[in-house]
Structures are given as structure tokens and as C-alpha cells.
Amino acid sequence: MKVSWDIFCNVVDNFGDIGVTWRLARQLAAEYPFAVRLWVDDLQPFVRLCPGAQVDAAQQWQEGVSVCHWAKDWQPVEAADVVIEAFACRLPPAYIEAMTQRSRPPLWLNLDYLSAEEWVTGCHGLPSLQSNRLQKFFFFPGFRPTTGGLLREAGLLDQRHAFQQDKAAQHAFLQGLGVEPAEDARLISLFAYENAGLASWLEVLAGQSPPTHLLVPEGRILGDLQRWLGVDSLQAGAVATRGALTVQVLPFVRQEAYDHLLWSCDFNAVRGEDSFVRAQWAGRPMLWHIYEQDDDAHWAKLDAFLELYVKGLSPAAGEALSDVWRAWNAGKDMGQCWLTLLQHWPEVTEHAEQWCLEQALQVDLAAALVQFYRNWL
Ligand code: TRH
């Protein structure tokens, strides 16, 4: 009998919760002899990442994963050998009951959000005893060897390298999205939350050579883009040029195709958690719009990541990159700091690849989970 894994995903907002759990479920099913079920309480965002999936199915098979709707009126099922609650979502009480009824209780893990903060290393893997005598372990993804690592499918970097060396494949991919950049254009992708600093960035890009071709998947930043362009609405396919800047709105693409978009670009603005990690595997310089938290806790997370990331850069380049990231996250003027960053472009570009290779030396998150399970047995 295959070892069974249940992954529970409560979609709080946006695409990150389902983005991470769907990616993990797929990898576990593809690379290990496991039976993987993914429980999702809202299938709408799932269908955006996996077009072709059904939005109203109680259960469906997608890429070797049994994707189940986590309905409010929970129907009893047998608990799996390994149970992952993503981002501290609350499991159905009847499911917890089913866990206690197994002859051997399952391995129960809370998969936490990604953070580069130092305290994470002290909490990763710690158990916490529950009232029903089950034990739950905290599992933290991260950038240091003492954490659970990052999601990275087998062969990902080889695929990325091959694609980035294959001009024809890149051209065909971009053409499929209707993108035909000028020969000398710098390609930038932009996936971000609403941002008051956008206008100042676009302004500086419009006034500069080489030209920039900015690719913007449909999403929350479109309102700011519309205001800057002075148009009432923007849909996928829209193209507008202001000075040296061409802006093009793209459809939201399936998760695998989004990787190709990141691999095709010279610079990627990303957000949240999963796109942030994917931009790192793209080996290209990036800009992170972190998910804002009520108590401003995200600033500590941003600084913790920057501290690690700029270590391999010269002080001037590190400062230039940090200034751009801080300005972007504060919604402040991007003009001057962007120009300063451009002075360090070759260095930050080389560093992005270096960072990617260093991170790839660590065990990936799925492998770390499997190892944790084997050690626990
Ligand atoms: O969507 P996000 O902002 O998600 C989140 C959530 O807000 C979550 O609650 C929060 O806690 C977390 O951030 C930190 O950003 P993220 O994590 O990058 O998820 C986006 C997903 O969408 C990712 O899997 C990539 C995918 N994607 C596509 O599949 N196609 C696309 O065209 C684009 C732009 C993204």
C-alpha cells in the first residue's frame, strides 16, 4: 500500500496558499510513490493555476493528485499516514478524530509561511502536544540549512538553463502570449499588489534607454497601471507605449507557464511567497513585494531576507538593491534608486544566478518533508 498524504489548504486570499500546496502536492505525487490528496476549501483560485480543472467537483484527479473540495459539511474519511495543515489552517474536528482512531496516529505537520528570520531555525521541526494526545510538528521552509528548504522540483534548474539557452524556445513561448519585444528591449515581468510607487518607476523606465518591455499578468496592480496610462480599463492583450516603455497586459497563465515567463525576463517583480521563490529559481534579478501584515511584521521578514541575499554583493550594489526593495514596499518614489541600481546591473544579474545555485545546494522542501517522515517512523 502506498503511503498516503493529506494536504489541507484554506485559501485566505490571493493565490499563495493554493500556489504552495498545489505545487507541493504535485511534486510529492510525481517524485515519490505516495497517494496524495489535496483538500482545498475554494477551488476558484485553483482553477486559475490549473486551467482545465473543474471548479465544482467534489473530487478530481489532476496531475496524479486527488484534488478534493474541502466542503463545510465535512464527510468522514480515513485519515492519511501524513497530514499537512498548510499555514496553520484548522483541520475539520471529525478528521482529527479520525486521526486519533488510527492504530498508529499519523505524522501531523503544520507547514508554515516562508521567512528568512533567524528564529525560524530554532522552531523548525519542534513538536507540540495537542489536547487529544496527538503530536503536531512545526515545519518551516527557509533559506538556511537548518530549515525545511524551498520547493524545487527535480530537474527544475536544468530545464530552466536549457530554456534560457534556447532563443527559439523563448521566442515561441513569448509569441504564444502575443509578446514581440524589440530586439534591444529589456524584458521585465510585474506581479505585485497595489503600489503607489508604480508611477515613479514607470516614469523612469519611459525616459530611459535601452527600451523596456513590461509584462503585467492580470491582477491587483492593473488599477495603478491604468491610472498612469490614463485609461479606464485594461485587459489581457492590451499594449501601450510611453517613451521608451512598452507595457503589455498578459493573461494569468497556468503555474508551469509562469515559470517560463520568469525565465524569459531580465528582471522579475514578484510578490507573496510562491512567485518570490520561483523568481529565485529563475536566476534573474528581482524585486519582491512582500505580503503586508497588520502589525508591520513583514518589514522584519523583508530585512531578514535582504540581509542574507545581499551578502554576496558588493556593499554599493547591496545597498542599491535594498533601496529599491524598500522603496517599492513602502510605495515610495522609485526613480533615483532604480537609476542607482542600474549602475550595478551586471553584478546583480550575476549574483541572482549565484544565489540560485547556492540555494539549490540545500535539500528541497518536499525531500525534507519526506526525510522528516522517514526519521519519525
Ligand atoms: O498571490 P500571492 O500574493 O499569495 C499570497 C497570499 O496572499 C497568501 O495569503 C499570503 O499569505 C502569501 O501570499 C504570502 O502571491 P504568491 O505566493 O506568489 O502566489 C501566486 C501564485 O500564482 C504562484 O503560485 C504563481 C502563480 N501564478 C500563476 O500560476 N500564473 C500567473 O500568471 C501568475 C502571475 C502567478
Side-chain angles (χ1 to χ4, degrees), residues 66-113:
S66 175
V67 180
C68 304
H69 182 225
W70 176 0
K72 283 209 171 70
D73 66 334
W74 179 260
Q75 299 302 312
V77 292
E78 261 185 48
D81 299 309
V82 185
V83 179
I84 298 180
E85 55 173 47
F87 313 126
C89 66
R90 288 176 170 267
L91 299 186
Y95 187 86
I96 298 179
E97 184 56 33
M99 285 161 73
T100 62
Q101 276 163 18
R102 285 174 50 110
S103 54
R104 176 172 190 184
L107 170 62
W108 183 3
L109 297 159
N110 172 44
L111 175 64
D112 225 297
Y113 287 113

Coordinates of all heavy atoms in Angstrom, one line a residue, residues 66-113:
S66 N -5.2 13.7 -6.1 CA -6.6 13.7 -5.9 C -7.0 15.0 -5.2 O -6.7 15.2 -4.1 CB -7.0 12.5 -5.0 OG -8.4 12.5 -4.7
V67 N -7.6 15.9 -6.0 CA -7.9 17.2 -5.5 C -9.3 17.2 -5.0 O -10.3 16.9 -5.8 CB -7.7 18.3 -6.6 CG1 -8.1 19.7 -6.1 CG2 -6.3 18.3 -7.2
C68 N -9.5 17.4 -3.7 CA -10.9 17.3 -3.1 C -11.3 18.6 -2.6 O -10.6 19.4 -2.0 CB -10.8 16.3 -1.9 SG -10.1 14.7 -2.3
H69 N -12.6 18.9 -2.8 CA -13.2 20.1 -2.3 C -13.4 19.9 -0.8 O -14.0 18.9 -0.3 CB -14.5 20.4 -2.9 CG -15.1 21.7 -2.4 ND1 -16.4 21.9 -2.1 CD2 -14.5 22.9 -2.2 CE1 -16.6 23.1 -1.7 NE2 -15.5 23.7 -1.7
W70 N -12.8 20.8 0.0 CA -12.9 20.8 1.5 C -14.2 21.5 1.8 O -14.2 22.7 2.0 CB -11.7 21.4 2.1 CG -11.7 21.6 3.6 CD1 -12.7 21.2 4.5 CD2 -10.6 22.2 4.3 NE1 -12.3 21.5 5.7 CE2 -11.0 22.1 5.7 CE3 -9.4 22.7 4.0 CZ2 -10.2 22.6 6.7 CZ3 -8.6 23.2 5.0 CH2 -9.0 23.2 6.3
A71 N -15.3 20.7 1.8 CA -16.6 21.3 2.0 C -16.9 21.6 3.5 O -16.3 21.0 4.3 CB -17.7 20.4 1.4
K72 N -17.8 22.6 3.7 CA -18.2 23.0 5.1 C -18.8 21.8 5.8 O -18.5 21.6 7.0 CB -19.1 24.2 5.0 CG -18.4 25.5 4.7 CD -19.1 26.7 5.4 CE -18.3 27.9 5.2 NZ -18.3 28.4 3.8
D73 N -19.7 21.1 5.1 CA -20.2 19.9 5.8 C -19.3 18.7 5.5 O -19.5 18.0 4.5 CB -21.7 19.6 5.4 CG -21.9 19.2 4.0 OD1 -21.0 19.6 3.2 OD2 -22.8 18.5 3.7
W74 N -18.4 18.5 6.4 CA -17.3 17.5 6.2 C -17.9 16.1 6.2 O -18.6 15.7 7.1 CB -16.3 17.7 7.3 CG -15.2 16.7 7.2 CD1 -15.0 15.6 7.9 CD2 -14.0 16.8 6.3 NE1 -13.8 15.0 7.6 CE2 -13.2 15.7 6.6 CE3 -13.7 17.7 5.3 CZ2 -12.0 15.4 5.9 CZ3 -12.5 17.4 4.6 CH2 -11.7 16.3 4.9
Q75 N -17.6 15.3 5.2 CA -18.0 13.9 5.2 C -16.8 13.1 5.7 O -15.7 13.3 5.2 CB -18.4 13.5 3.7 CG -19.5 14.2 3.2 CD -20.8 14.1 4.0 OE1 -21.2 13.0 4.4 NE2 -21.4 15.3 4.3
P76 N -17.1 12.1 6.6 CA -16.0 11.4 7.2 C -15.1 10.6 6.1 O -15.6 10.0 5.2 CB -16.7 10.3 8.1 CG -18.1 10.8 8.1 CD -18.4 11.7 7.0
V77 N -13.8 10.7 6.3 CA -12.9 9.9 5.5 C -11.8 9.4 6.5 O -11.6 9.8 7.6 CB -12.1 10.8 4.5 CG1 -13.1 11.3 3.4 CG2 -11.4 12.0 5.1
E78 N -11.1 8.4 6.0 CA -10.0 7.8 6.8 C -8.8 8.8 6.8 O -8.5 9.4 5.7 CB -9.5 6.5 6.2 CG -10.1 5.3 6.9 CD -9.5 4.0 6.3 OE1 -8.3 3.9 6.2 OE2 -10.3 3.2 6.0
A79 N -8.1 9.0 7.9 CA -7.0 9.9 7.9 C -5.8 9.2 7.2 O -5.6 8.0 7.2 CB -6.7 10.2 9.4
A80 N -5.0 10.1 6.7 CA -3.8 9.6 5.9 C -2.6 9.3 6.9 O -2.7 9.6 8.1 CB -3.4 10.7 4.9
D81 N -1.5 8.8 6.3 CA -0.3 8.5 7.1 C 0.4 9.8 7.5 O 1.0 9.9 8.6 CB 0.6 7.6 6.3 CG 0.0 6.3 5.9 OD1 -0.5 5.6 6.8 OD2 0.0 5.9 4.7
V82 N 0.4 10.7 6.6 CA 1.0 12.0 6.9 C -0.1 13.1 6.6 O -0.7 13.1 5.5 CB 2.2 12.3 6.0 CG1 2.9 13.6 6.4 CG2 3.2 11.1 6.0
V83 N -0.2 14.0 7.5 CA -1.2 15.1 7.4 C -0.5 16.4 7.5 O 0.2 16.7 8.5 CB -2.3 14.9 8.5 CG1 -3.3 16.1 8.4 CG2 -3.0 13.6 8.5
I84 N -0.7 17.2 6.5 CA -0.1 18.6 6.5 C -1.2 19.6 6.5 O -2.1 19.7 5.6 CB 0.7 18.8 5.2 CG1 1.9 17.8 5.1 CG2 1.3 20.2 5.2 CD1 2.8 17.9 3.9
E85 N -1.2 20.4 7.5 CA -2.1 21.6 7.5 C -1.3 22.7 7.1 O -0.2 23.0 7.7 CB -2.8 21.8 8.9 CG -1.8 21.9 10.0 CD -2.4 22.3 11.3 OE1 -3.4 21.7 11.7 OE2 -1.8 23.2 12.0
A86 N -1.7 23.4 6.0 CA -0.8 24.5 5.5 C -1.2 25.8 6.2 O -2.4 26.1 6.4 CB -1.1 24.6 4.0
F87 N -0.2 26.5 6.6 CA -0.3 27.8 7.2 C -1.3 27.8 8.3 O -2.2 28.7 8.4 CB -0.7 28.8 6.1 CG 0.2 28.6 4.9 CD1 -0.4 28.4 3.6 CD2 1.6 28.6 5.0 CE1 0.4 28.3 2.5 CE2 2.4 28.5 3.8 CZ 1.8 28.3 2.6
A88 N -1.2 26.9 9.2 CA -2.0 26.8 10.4 C -3.5 26.8 10.2 O -4.3 27.3 11.0 CB -1.6 27.9 11.4
C89 N -3.9 26.3 9.1 CA -5.4 26.2 8.9 C -5.9 25.2 9.8 O -5.2 24.3 10.3 CB -5.7 25.8 7.4 SG -5.2 24.1 6.9
R90 N -7.2 25.3 10.2 CA -7.8 24.4 11.2 C -8.4 23.2 10.5 O -9.4 23.3 9.7 CB -8.9 25.1 12.0 CG -8.2 26.1 12.9 CD -9.3 26.9 13.6 NE -8.7 27.7 14.7 CZ -8.5 27.3 15.9 NH1 -9.0 26.1 16.3 NH2 -7.9 28.0 16.8
L91 N -7.9 22.0 10.9 CA -8.5 20.8 10.3 C -9.9 20.5 10.8 O -10.2 20.9 11.9 CB -7.6 19.6 10.7 CG -6.1 19.6 10.3 CD1 -5.5 18.2 10.7 CD2 -6.0 19.8 8.8
P92 N -10.7 19.9 10.0 CA -12.1 19.5 10.5 C -12.0 18.7 11.7 O -11.2 17.7 11.7 CB -12.7 18.7 9.3 CG -11.8 19.0 8.1 CD -10.4 19.4 8.6
P93 N -12.8 19.0 12.8 CA -12.7 18.2 14.0 C -12.9 16.7 13.8 O -12.2 15.9 14.4 CB -13.8 18.8 14.9 CG -14.0 20.2 14.3 CD -13.7 20.2 12.9
A94 N -13.8 16.4 12.8 CA -14.1 15.0 12.6 C -12.8 14.3 12.0 O -12.6 13.1 12.1 CB -15.3 14.8 11.6
Y95 N -12.1 15.1 11.2 CA -10.8 14.5 10.6 C -9.8 14.2 11.7 O -9.1 13.2 11.8 CB -10.3 15.4 9.6 CG -9.1 14.8 8.8 CD1 -9.3 14.0 7.7 CD2 -7.8 15.0 9.2 CE1 -8.3 13.4 7.1 CE2 -6.7 14.4 8.6 CZ -7.0 13.6 7.5 OH -5.9 13.0 6.8
I96 N -9.7 15.2 12.7 CA -8.8 15.0 13.8 C -9.2 13.7 14.6 O -8.4 12.9 15.0 CB -8.8 16.3 14.7 CG1 -8.3 17.4 13.9 CG2 -7.9 16.0 15.9 CD1 -8.2 18.8 14.6
E97 N -10.5 13.6 14.7 CA -11.0 12.4 15.4 C -10.5 11.1 14.7 O -10.1 10.2 15.3 CB -12.5 12.5 15.5 CG -13.3 11.4 16.2 CD -12.8 11.3 17.7 OE1 -12.5 12.3 18.3 OE2 -12.8 10.1 18.2
A98 N -10.7 11.2 13.4 CA -10.2 10.0 12.5 C -8.7 9.8 12.7 O -8.3 8.6 12.7 CB -10.6 10.3 11.1
M99 N -8.0 10.8 12.9 CA -6.5 10.7 13.2 C -6.3 9.9 14.4 O -5.4 9.0 14.5 CB -5.8 12.1 13.2 CG -5.7 12.7 11.9 SD -5.4 14.5 12.0 CE -3.7 14.6 12.6
T100 N -7.0 10.2 15.5 CA -6.8 9.6 16.8 C -7.3 8.1 16.7 O -6.8 7.3 17.5 CB -7.7 10.2 17.9 OG1 -9.0 10.1 17.6 CG2 -7.3 11.7 18.1
Q101 N -8.1 7.8 15.8 CA -8.6 6.4 15.7 C -7.8 5.4 14.9 O -8.0 4.2 14.9 CB -10.0 6.4 15.1 CG -11.0 6.7 16.2 CD -12.4 7.1 15.7 OE1 -12.7 6.9 14.6 NE2 -13.2 7.7 16.6
R102 N -6.7 5.9 14.3 CA -5.8 5.1 13.6 C -5.0 4.2 14.6 O -4.7 4.7 15.7 CB -4.9 5.9 12.7 CG -5.5 6.5 11.5 CD -4.5 7.4 10.8 NE -3.2 6.7 10.7 CZ -2.7 6.3 9.5 NH1 -3.3 6.6 8.4 NH2 -1.5 5.6 9.5
S103 N -4.6 3.0 14.2 CA -3.8 2.2 15.2 C -2.5 3.0 15.5 O -2.0 3.0 16.6 CB -3.5 0.8 14.6 OG -2.9 1.0 13.3
R104 N -1.9 3.6 14.5 CA -0.8 4.5 14.8 C -1.2 5.9 14.3 O -1.5 6.0 13.1 CB 0.5 4.0 14.0 CG 1.6 4.9 14.2 CD 2.9 4.5 13.7 NE 3.9 5.4 14.2 CZ 5.1 5.4 13.9 NH1 5.6 4.5 13.2 NH2 6.0 6.3 14.4
P105 N -1.2 6.9 15.1 CA -1.6 8.2 14.7 C -0.7 8.7 13.5 O 0.5 8.3 13.4 CB -1.4 9.1 15.9 CG -1.2 8.2 17.0 CD -0.8 6.9 16.5
P106 N -1.2 9.5 12.6 CA -0.4 10.0 11.5 C 0.7 11.0 12.0 O 0.6 11.5 13.1 CB -1.4 10.7 10.6 CG -2.6 10.9 11.4 CD -2.6 10.0 12.6
L107 N 1.6 11.2 11.1 CA 2.5 12.3 11.3 C 1.8 13.6 10.9 O 1.3 13.7 9.8 CB 3.8 12.2 10.4 CG 4.7 13.4 10.4 CD1 5.3 13.7 11.8 CD2 5.8 13.2 9.4
W108 N 1.6 14.5 11.9 CA 0.8 15.7 11.7 C 1.8 16.9 11.6 O 2.6 17.1 12.6 CB -0.2 15.8 12.8 CG -1.1 17.0 12.8 CD1 -1.3 17.9 11.8 CD2 -2.1 17.3 13.8 NE1 -2.3 18.8 12.1 CE2 -2.8 18.4 13.3 CE3 -2.4 16.8 15.0 CZ2 -3.8 19.0 14.1 CZ3 -3.4 17.4 15.8 CH2 -4.1 18.5 15.3
L109 N 1.7 17.6 10.5 CA 2.7 18.7 10.4 C 1.9 20.0 10.1 O 1.0 20.0 9.3 CB 3.6 18.5 9.2 CG 4.5 17.3 9.3 CD1 4.9 16.8 7.9 CD2 5.7 17.6 10.1
N110 N 2.4 21.1 10.7 CA 1.9 22.4 10.2 C 3.0 23.0 9.4 O 4.1 23.3 9.8 CB 1.6 23.3 11.4 CG 1.3 24.7 10.9 OD1 0.6 24.9 10.0 ND2 2.0 25.7 11.5
L111 N 2.7 23.2 8.1 CA 3.6 23.8 7.2 C 3.5 25.3 7.3 O 2.4 25.8 6.9 CB 3.4 23.3 5.7 CG 4.2 24.0 4.6 CD1 5.7 23.7 4.8 CD2 3.8 23.5 3.3
D112 N 4.5 26.0 7.7 CA 4.4 27.4 8.0 C 4.7 28.3 6.8 O 5.2 27.8 5.8 CB 5.2 27.8 9.2 CG 4.5 28.7 10.1 OD1 4.1 29.8 9.7 OD2 4.3 28.2 11.3
Y113 N 4.6 29.6 6.9 CA 5.0 30.5 5.9 C 6.5 30.6 5.8 O 7.2 30.4 6.8 CB 4.4 31.9 6.2 CG 2.9 32.0 5.9 CD1 2.0 32.2 7.0 CD2 2.4 31.9 4.6 CE1 0.7 32.3 6.8 CE2 1.0 32.0 4.4 CZ 0.2 32.2 5.5 OH -1.2 32.3 5.2

